[in-house]
Amino acid sequence: MTSEPDLLRKLSGINQSAAFNRWAGFEICHVVVGGADVRMDRRPEHGQYSDFLHVGLVAALIDTCCGFAAATLCDHVLATHFSIDCLSPALGQSFLAKGRVVKSGRKQIFTNAELHAFDDGKSKLVAAGTALLVSLGEPSCNTRPTVRTEAH
């Protein structure tokens, strides 16, 4: 089994290789087998016309942390289905997306995520989503069912 420091190095390398993630300022801040957290500090160019975080970035944070959670079990994953629910306007100085593998099957990896906004020391849940991913490489996935419910 791969150690958490090795997974963090692997995902941080993948994250830095993605131009969009670098532009947005995504940072992998926590990794466990079957889970990954991605944070982003808010910048002016991240806003939409009402200055809420643009829903494109809301979606990108959720998609990215779901993909990274799946990548802790499997190399080279791709989302085949993705959905988000915006629960509240995304206002904050920083954002944290927490992605978890719900179930890892032989061909598909089911994930979910929450996006929290942080402002003046307060946290607020602003969006939730799910992603279904598949492996693009050799069938090297850990196929045991995985349920992650712990908070950190």
Side-chain angles (χ1 to χ4, degrees):
M1 178 172 281
T2 306
S3 71
E4 290 173 8
D6 289 340
L7 287 172
L8 181 59
R9 276 189 292 280
K10 170 189 168 182
L11 297 184
S12 293
I14 294 168
N15 187 53
Q16 285 303 306
S17 73
F20 178 84
N21 294 12
R22 289 192 314 271
W23 169 83
F26 291 0
E27 174 190 347
I28 311 300
C29 59
H30 183 76
V31 176
V32 295
V33 175
D37 296 354
V38 176
R39 75 174 302 279
M40 180 190 79
D41 288 330
R42 171 68 190 266
R43 297 192 313 246
E45 61 269 25
H46 292 158
Q48 46 85 292
Y49 65 92
S50 296
D51 206 31
F52 302 140
L53 183 67
H54 193 283
V55 74
L57 279 167
V58 169
L61 281 161
I62 290 174
D63 172 61
T64 299
C65 75
C66 283
F68 285 154
T72 66
L73 302 178
C74 200
D75 288 332
H76 309 290
V77 295
L78 177 69
T80 60
H81 179 78
F82 171 75
S83 68
I84 63 168
D85 293 307
C86 296
L87 307 172
S88 179
L91 289 169
Q93 298 163 336
S94 64
F95 297 87
L96 178 66
K98 297 181 170 204
R100 302 291 172 261
V101 171
V102 175
K103 182 177 189 313
S104 177
R106 286 185 304 118
K107 296 181 180 181
Q108 299 174 320
I109 304 168
F110 298 85
T111 62
N112 64 27
E114 293 183 344
L115 180 65
H116 298 264
F118 292 86
D119 201 19
D120 294 327
K122 296 178 185 171
S123 171
K124 183 176 185 177
L125 178 64
V126 295
T130 61
L132 178 59
L133 299 105
V134 295
S135 173
L136 294 177
E138 293 292 319
S140 61
C141 290
N142 176 355
T143 58
R144 66 178 168 75
T146 306
V147 177
R148 301 283 179 214
T149 56
E150 73 276 359
H152 46 204

